[in-house]
Amino acid sequence: MIPSGERFGRTPDGLDHVIGLVLCCAYIALLVHTADAIGMSRDEGMYVYAAERYARWLEQLWQAPSSALTRESIDAAFSVNHEHPPLMKLLFALGHIMQRKYAIFGDDSLSFRFGGMLSAGLLLWLIYGFGTRLYGRAAGLFAALAYALLPRPFYHAHLDAFDVPITCASTATLYAYYVSVERPRRAPLAGLCFGLALLTKHNSWLLPGLCGLHFAFCVMLELRSRRAMATRQISILPYGLLAMLLIGPALFYAGWPWLWHDTFARLRGYAEFHLHHAYYNMEYFGVNYFWPPFPSSYAWVMTLFTVPITTLVLGVAGVISACVSVLPALRSWLRSPGPGAYDPTQPTWLLLSALLAPLALISLPSTPIFGGTKHWFPAYPMLALFAGRAFAQLAANVFRSQRAGLSAQVALRCGLGAWLLAPSLVETIHSHPFGLSHYGVAAGGVPGAAQKGMNRQFWGFTTRSLVPYLREAMPNGGTLYICDTIFTAFEMLIRDGHLPRSFRVTGDIANADYALVHHEKHFAEIDHQIWTTYGNVQPAHVLLYDGVPIISVYKNPRR
Amino acid sequence: MRYLILGLLSIPLFELCAHAWIVRHVPAVSEYRAASDFIRAGLEPGDVITSAPAFTDPILRWQLGDRVPLAMAGRSDDARYERMWVLSIRGALPAGAPQGQPELQREFGRVRVLRYRLRQPARVLFDFVEAWERAEASIVRGGVPTRCPLRVGGTPRGGGLGKGVLLPVRRRFECDPRSPALFIAPVVLEGLDNEPRYCIWQHPQGEEPVSLSFRDVPLGDELRLYAGLYYEHERMREGAPIEVSVAIDGRERAHFTHRDGEGFQRWTVPTAGSEAATGEVTLSVRTSDSRGRSFCWAGETLRANAGGSP
């Protein structure tokens, strides 16, 4: 039978959680295995610095709680990077403590990054569970894998940063809220997830609005339904929302020691930092955008250019299929409300608004676009869920005339899923370790995107890919001008053993033995500074990815 | 429905094939090297080397950078060149490539070498950037002109975004040791279009002029200038306009105003009717507010070729 209707899944059972756990662990193992090739990025370097301070505070809290809880101790630790809440940095700090005490990770980078990887694994479990609940096991599995094999999120899943963790926390909140619409007893879980989301990143501020609008719509339908039939399908009391609004902020306050003193001033500072965020450079179709207005098409075009086409098409097909299933049902129900005509929990609208809201927000001309795709990552699990829905329906259509047994049906569906995910797999493998430089077929690949004038990278993480060249060119070490790579990120290359201690960083191009330029449009200035200082324009080496220059390395002729 | 399903099922095939095609068509470094060796062997004085698409420029400089002087990498136009070599991939041509067929084409795997004959309507008589060190620099303070001496030495400090040109530049006319930006020397500057400009840095000090004079300049038919500011000083469109005066033999022949947002602009001064074949050309700059006024210019005089105009 072809699955139809707004929802055709079922509550995940024990086996589903086993499958979710396997997905989670396998993904973490994959991330751990591939992390070594990805250099630490600019933001990660800052969070490493913060995590080390937090780690000292955690140890102080363990050994001498009363002194750790004084304002001096709290401020000393949490004043660092106080523009972001602490949950993930505390996790990074825990990883760092475990590494120092027990050396359980392969290197220092991994100890900081493991918390982020954990959230990436949990996210797959969540997508699988949510997908199973909405559209069945096959859809859930396909959705989880479709998300796991998105090249850009795959890159970010390795990092000690907040973008994948907030995607996980947002998805968890939406899932828990959704369950609470049907089962109000689960409402505290929505509050807990929202609190964790608040403690992860400010993207979470959107969630009450999304859930509130969705619940208002559900209540409107419910009230009309009750008037017509006097039957109760869902509670019109917003338990989930109330839990979010009560437990969430309480957890946020309790979990962020920085807010325990000067609470309102610090809250205001936090909000103002993000409401009036600085603008950074981002190249888009050959123009370096550094100030509003930013192009409204950015998020949509970048999604088209970076998400594998098959996944994108399936996602859109899933959206269309879900909307097609909702609209006639709603129309007929509006004419004569009756039981079973529509789904009272309205998952399509929740998923659709959660898919579109981040993209719409980035499309505002005043919203900075410097983060590339990561700022709308919370939309991608929703896209994957819709893709999962389309897959389930496609599989049912393709195999409807088959009279095979259950195992053969499973095998056929696995084969179809593998075929539909093959491009994502190939592109994700190909994108590693240049995740931020990767563009898909829609952009003409990496060279096509470069020719169109799309941003090639940011955060200076690609210096890691230069290590073999640097070791060969500078066998005795020396001084290096590292352009966009932050000092703590470069230092991590040494701590992890990729480069010897004889490599030193200098901020003076003239005093460097070698100088790097990470190719972003606005970094052309560094090229020109080097040309004037060294008196020539010839790099000693150019790091290429699919034939596109990523880093130029200049040798100082005066040293 | 059957066609829809077939369509959906064929998308992965298209995507995989397209991906393979894209990756297969990426030129190998060895192909660039072979193409560069070919160009190197055929280079003559008066040749310019360029590449297309623009993202391949670092690869061109990697392979042929020893044959790309600062003046070529940061050129404002191709007026001084007779032939253009192009290192091309993906069928792209540079914006400055002439119309019509190249006089030579060779392929090295996925890299193509093209050579064009540039039919210049005029020939360059004098290049101001090339001759900068033979010029005389001066600054006026309280109505009194003072010569800016040539200084050699010093190590440029720093590097990074927002710094523009690193100071001090090793060879420079130093107009005020207390104000490091008040010097005159050729630099490579990032223009508003983020492109390199090899030009003479001549930062105004305020209402009184900072000047650079060139003696015995062959005037020809036209004096052509390109002038602009460092990217970050111009992009916010907040700076004061810069007044530029061009004098020949002490008489102002043209006056231009540079306003933020204009980028590097081309200005021309007709010189065809000049009584003398040569003259002293002085370029002076002033502004009402000198903050972030990293004025930089390049220029040349040209003589029209037969049947052409500069």
Side-chain angles (χ1 to χ4, degrees):
Chain A
M1 195 178 80
I2 309 299
S4 62
E6 197 171 353
R7 186 168 55 145
F8 43 84
R10 48 165 186 72
T11 307
D13 58 19
L15 176 62
D16 290 314
H17 289 303
V18 171
I19 294 172
L21 180 64
V22 168
L23 277 172
C24 171
C25 294
Y27 197 49
I28 293 171
L30 177 67
L31 295 172
V32 167
H33 180 67
T34 50
D36 183 56
I38 297 179
M40 199 157 259
S41 66
R42 200 175 179 80
D43 282 17
E44 286 185 279
M46 292 180 203
Y47 304 145
V48 161
Y49 179 64
E52 285 177 330
R53 295 278 283 270
Y54 288 18
R56 281 200 288 275
W57 182 80
L58 284 174
E59 285 170 327
Q60 190 186 1
L61 186 67
W62 181 255
Q63 287 154 4
S66 55
S67 81
L69 293 173
T70 62
R71 178 171 180 158
E72 290 72 31
S73 297
I74 287 171
D75 285 3
F78 289 92
S79 59
V80 179
N81 194 243
H82 63 258
E83 60 269 27
H84 289 294
L87 179 63
M88 291 315 296
K89 286 173 282 185
L90 286 167
L91 268 181
F92 305 154
L94 280 174
H96 175 57
I97 292 170
M98 299 295 279
Q99 174 73 351
R100 274 213 330 257
K101 287 198 184 307
Y102 310 111
I104 58 171
F105 298 103
D107 53 43
D108 280 3
S109 291
L110 188 56
S111 72
F112 288 106
R113 285 172 161 178
F114 191 75
M117 295 176 183
L118 195 61
S119 74
L122 287 173
L123 176 57
L124 293 199
W125 191 345
L126 275 170
I127 294 173
Y128 173 74
F130 205 174
T132 301
R133 179 177 287 273
L134 292 178
Y135 307 126
R137 187 173 283 162
L141 188 59
F142 186 87
L145 292 173
Y147 176 84
L149 295 175
L150 294 175
R152 299 255 176 161
F154 179 72
Y155 162 77
H156 284 275
H158 291 86
L159 311 185
D160 59 290
F162 313 139
D163 302 292
V164 170
I166 188 59
T167 307
C168 177
S170 293
T171 307
T173 306
L174 288 168
Y175 186 17
Y177 155 77
Y178 175 72
V179 172
S180 79
V181 174
E182 221 170 21
R183 299 181 189 180
R185 279 191 192 174
R186 299 282 185 89
L189 198 57
L192 177 70
C193 291
F194 181 56
L196 295 176
L198 283 173
L199 279 168
T200 302
K201 206 179 174 189
H202 61 281
N203 306 43
S204 52
W205 300 349
L206 270 180
L207 292 169
L210 281 179
C211 297
L213 282 173
H214 172 260
F215 196 75
F217 187 59
C218 290
V219 167
M220 190 186 77
L221 296 178
E222 175 70 14
L223 288 176
R224 186 174 155 83
S225 185
R226 284 187 189 181
R227 274 199 299 274
M229 303 174 304
T231 57
R232 181 182 180 278
Q233 299 187 87
I234 58 166
S235 168
I236 57 167
L237 289 175
Y239 292 108
L241 268 174
L242 281 172
M244 285 169 69
L245 296 178
L246 292 174
I247 299 173
L251 195 58
F252 177 64
Y253 175 79
W256 196 357
W258 174 248
L259 297 181
W260 296 350
H261 304 281
D262 275 346
T263 303
F264 290 104
R266 289 179 177 184
L267 265 177
R268 195 170 52 243
Y270 169 54
E272 281 179 354
F273 178 85
H274 294 288
L275 293 173
H276 310 288
H277 200 289
Y279 299 107
Y280 306 129
N281 300 277
M282 177 54 69
E283 186 181 8
Y284 180 62
F285 284 112
V287 177
N288 183 49
Y289 288 93
F290 60 92
W291 196 254
F294 297 106
S296 296
S297 61
Y298 182 76
W300 309 92
V301 170
M302 283 296 288
T303 299
L304 175 67
F305 279 6
T306 58
V307 173
I309 291 177
T310 309
T311 302
L312 199 58
V313 169
L314 284 173
V316 172
V319 169
I320 292 169
S321 147
C323 291
V324 163
S325 75
V326 169
L327 291 175
L330 272 181
R331 232 186 353 253
S332 72
W333 175 83
L334 282 169
R335 278 198 295 271
S336 70
Y342 75 102
D343 188 325
T345 61
Q346 291 294 303
T348 299
W349 300 126
L350 182 66
L351 259 56
L352 196 57
S353 55
L355 169 65
L356 296 179
L359 289 152
L361 190 67
I362 301 290
S363 301
L364 296 175
S366 56
T367 310
I369 58 171
F370 57 78
T373 57
K374 71 189 179 82
H375 286 168
W376 61 88
F377 273 3
Y380 285 172
M382 308 302 132
L383 183 75
L385 287 169
F386 280 121
R389 177 190 168 96
F391 168 75
Q393 292 183 312
L394 182 65
N397 265 295
V398 169
F399 303 125
R400 70 175 144 183
S401 59
Q402 302 286 331
R403 293 178 191 279
L406 180 65
S407 54
Q409 285 281 345
V410 170
L412 287 169
R413 277 167 168 74
C414 286
L416 179 66
W419 171 243
L420 293 170
L421 290 171
S424 296
L425 178 68
V426 168
E427 287 179 43
T428 299
I429 291 170
H430 189 73
S431 73
H432 185 69
F434 292 99
L436 289 183
S437 309
H438 180 264
Y439 286 87
V441 164
V446 182
Q451 192 164 357
K452 289 177 179 68
M454 306 302 283
N455 170 268
R456 266 179 248 174
Q457 63 188 315
F458 54 90
W459 280 348
F461 71 101
T462 44
T463 301
R464 166 70 181 91
S465 301
L466 264 185
V467 162
Y469 171 78
L470 292 175
R471 290 191 82 114
E472 192 184 324
M474 305 169 73
N476 301 317
T479 50
L480 204 59
Y481 175 81
I482 54 175
C483 192
D484 198 28
T485 306
I486 198 170
F487 174 76
T488 42
F490 188 82
E491 177 68 13
M492 199 55 81
L493 290 176
I494 295 170
R495 281 170 68 172
D496 289 348
H498 298 305
L499 287 173
R501 279 267 159 224
S502 52
F503 278 81
R504 297 178 307 280
V505 171
T506 176
D508 285 326
I509 286 171
N511 290 334
D513 295 319
Y514 283 81
L516 313 185
V517 179
H518 295 92
H519 287 295
E520 288 185 64
K521 192 173 181 71
H522 63 290
F523 276 120
E525 172 180 0
I526 316 295
D527 264 315
H528 308 156
Q529 289 169 358
I530 292 169
W531 297 358
T532 304
T533 306
Y534 293 177
N536 76 65
V537 303
Q538 186 169 31
H541 180 71
V542 178
L543 176 71
L544 300 171
Y545 170 47
D546 272 359
V548 173
I550 301 296
I551 303 179
S552 285
V553 187
Y554 293 89
K555 186 177 190 319
N556 189 344
R558 296 196 173 88
R559 294 180 60 101
Chain B
M1 180 58 87
R2 181 180 297 173
Y3 292 114
L4 184 66
I5 291 170
L6 279 176
L8 279 173
L9 291 178
S10 62
I11 292 170
L13 180 66
F14 160 75
E15 193 168 4
L16 288 168
C17 290
H19 175 78
W21 190 89
I22 290 165
V23 174
R24 228 177 82 80
H25 281 75
V26 171
V29 173
S30 58
E31 292 168 352
Y32 278 111
R33 197 167 293 136
S36 301
D37 289 345
F38 176 73
I39 293 176
R40 189 186 299 280
L43 274 179
E44 291 177 4
D47 286 358
V48 62
I49 319 167
T50 187
S51 70
F55 76 79
T56 58
D57 178 62
I59 305 175
L60 166 75
R61 287 184 285 102
W62 181 20
Q63 298 300 326
L64 281 164
D66 56 318
R67 308 305 294 269
V68 180
L70 297 183
M72 187 189 291
R75 66 190 181 279
S76 292
D77 64 24
D78 294 329
R80 60 161 55 209
Y81 301 106
E82 291 158 16
R83 301 192 305 177
M84 175 185 282
W85 293 88
V86 179
L87 205 61
S88 164
I89 63 166
R90 299 168 64 87
L93 289 176
Q99 299 286 328
Q101 288 299 307
E103 62 178 14
L104 179 149
Q105 274 198 73
R106 280 285 296 275
E107 288 191 7
F108 299 86
R110 286 150 289 193
V111 179
R112 205 151 53 110
V113 171
L114 308 162
R115 194 179 71 209
Y116 292 93
R117 175 73 54 183
L118 301 176
R119 302 190 197 292
Q120 303 292 8
R123 78 193 148 89
V124 174
L125 300 178
F126 186 83
D127 184 322
F128 289 94
V129 185
E130 197 176 79
W132 78 277
E133 215 171 310
R134 298 198 298 276
E136 190 173 290
S138 64
I139 186 168
V140 177
R141 290 271 167 84
V144 180
T146 309
R147 197 169 166 179
C148 306
L150 180 69
R151 299 267 187 235
V152 180
T155 304
R157 311 305 305 177
L161 288 182
K163 304 282 193 305
V165 171
L166 305 184
L167 306 179
V169 172
R170 273 183 63 78
R171 297 181 74 83
R172 63 199 180 273
F173 291 119
E174 195 170 80
C175 295
D176 184 348
R178 290 164 303 171
S179 304
L182 288 181
F183 70 95
I184 296 175
V187 297
V188 183
L189 190 81
E190 182 189 25
L192 189 61
D193 54 3
N194 305 103
E195 293 298 317
R197 297 287 182 160
Y198 186 57
C199 52
I200 299 172
W201 173 282
Q202 193 169 337
H203 199 296
Q205 61 163 337
E207 299 285 5
E208 292 188 297
V210 174
S211 303
L212 190 63
S213 296
F214 297 80
R215 291 187 183 185
D216 302 324
V217 176
L219 296 174
D221 297 319
E222 183 182 288
L223 194 161
R224 187 183 291 171
L225 300 172
Y226 296 89
L229 271 68
Y230 160 55
Y231 172 62
E232 288 206 17
H233 288 167
E234 191 165 357
R235 69 179 189 178
M236 295 306 291
R237 294 155 169 78
E238 291 171 340
I242 297 172
E243 305 297 332
V244 183
S245 163
V246 181
I248 298 178
D249 292 331
R251 191 163 68 87
E252 186 176 82
R253 293 289 293 272
H255 186 102
F256 304 105
T257 303
H258 178 89
R259 291 185 175 80
D260 280 4
E262 293 174 346
F264 266 75
Q265 282 213 308
R266 186 169 114 162
W267 294 326
T268 54
V269 183
T271 51
S274 299
E275 290 169 16
T278 61
E280 183 186 41
V281 175
T282 302
L283 189 137
S284 305
V285 292
R286 285 185 296 192
T287 183
S288 58
D289 183 348
S290 65
R291 283 175 297 178
R293 302 292 77 194
S294 48
F295 185 77
C296 202
W297 65 281
E300 57 215 4
T301 60
L302 300 112
R303 168 80 70 201
N305 287 325
S309 64

